[in-house]
């Protein structure tokens, strides 16, 4: 089984969501042989003119061997070949960090991962389990929320656009609290993930 791990935390392997991702990988590894693909989001270029032309002018045949089209094709291939996707990310300013938004912009591509007709947009990526792990210094869910959440609805909608509807969200909120509280929250979320994974067939 090929797991695609998208880690957009600036703390990299020290982040809470990366630790949660390792819980998933370990659980899946107990049921199947696993390989993990981890693209380096810190090196993603912004979309360039050739990418824009390819999307807006489908009759043209742009050079896809250079620039952001080359990067886009590589990232899309990784997504297509994955059996299981983990997206580990902090919430920045109520939404996505720029590195994750860049990955989204590269893989959500008209004519490549979705097509458009008179009835709307239709995904071209084969559906597969996607686990979105979010950390936040504040609280954005439940009746204790005191900040908005633009992250979750955006990711749900954009993943659905390319055909990914089997999406599960897990959060660790209030990470600006004391280390003991954060550790307790992390362990609680780990148990939630383990319980959910125990119910699915891999």
């Amino acid at each position: 089984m090929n797991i695609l791990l998208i880690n957009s935390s600036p703390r990299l392997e020290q982040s809470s969501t990366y630790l949660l991702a390792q819980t998933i990988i370990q659980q899946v590894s107990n049921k199947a042989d696993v390989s993990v693909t981890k693209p380096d989001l810190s090196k993603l270029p912004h979309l360039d003119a050739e990418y824009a032309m390819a999307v807006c002018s489908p009759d043209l045949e742009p050079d896809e061997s250079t620039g952001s089209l080359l990067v886009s094709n590589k990232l899309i291939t990784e997504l297509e070949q994955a059996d299981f996707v983990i997206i580990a990310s902090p919430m920045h300013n109520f939404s996505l960090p720029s590195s994750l938004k860049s990955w989204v912009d590269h893989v959500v591509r008209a004519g490549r991962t979705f097509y458009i007709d008179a009835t709307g947009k239709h995904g071209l990526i084969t559906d597969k389990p996607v686990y979105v792990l979010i950390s936040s210094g504040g609280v954005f869910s439940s009746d204790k929320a005191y900040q908005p959440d633009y992250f979750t609805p955006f990711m749900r909608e954009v993943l659905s656009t390319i055909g990914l509807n089997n999406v599960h969200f897990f959060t660790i909120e209030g990470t600006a609290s004391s280390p003991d509280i954060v550790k307790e929250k992390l362990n609680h979320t780990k148990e939630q993930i383990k319980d959910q994974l125990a119910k699915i067939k891999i």
Side-chain angles (χ1 to χ4, degrees), residues 20-116:
L20 293 177
Q22 295 311 301
T23 297
I24 296 175
I25 293 170
Q26 183 178 8
Q27 287 290 104
V28 175
S29 297
N30 291 336
K31 299 182 180 182
D33 293 331
V34 165
S35 63
V36 180
T37 300
K38 296 192 292 184
D40 185 353
L41 270 59
S42 69
K43 297 180 179 179
L44 294 186
H46 290 295
L47 304 184
D48 54 24
E50 285 75 15
Y51 182 104
M53 289 296 292
V55 172
C56 298
S57 307
D59 294 336
L60 297 180
E61 296 184 3
D63 181 6
E64 299 192 9
S65 64
T66 61
S68 62
L69 277 173
L70 175 63
V71 175
S72 174
N73 287 335
K74 179 178 183 297
L75 296 174
I76 290 170
T77 297
E78 290 174 348
L79 183 58
E80 290 172 332
Q81 294 178 346
D83 303 300
F84 200 107
V85 180
I86 303 171
I87 299 173
S89 177
M91 178 182 287
H92 282 177
N93 297 320
F94 319 131
S95 188
L96 283 64
S98 59
S99 58
L100 180 55
K101 181 57 166 63
S102 183
W103 180 82
V104 167
D105 289 342
H106 279 87
V107 302
V108 181
R109 180 171 150 198
R112 187 68 167 79
T113 55
F114 72 94
Y115 70 93
I116 306 171

Side-chain angles (χ1 to χ4, degrees), residues 159-192:
L159 292 171
S160 176
T161 296
I162 60 176
L164 299 176
N165 296 292
N166 185 10
V167 182
H168 308 272
F169 290 87
F170 291 90
T171 66
I172 174 170
E173 302 172 44
T175 58
S177 305
S178 70
D180 288 342
I181 293 177
V182 173
K183 183 178 180 180
E184 181 180 344
K185 291 174 180 288
L186 183 62
N187 289 335
H188 177 69
T189 306
K190 283 182 179 180
E191 292 306 313
Q192 288 181 317

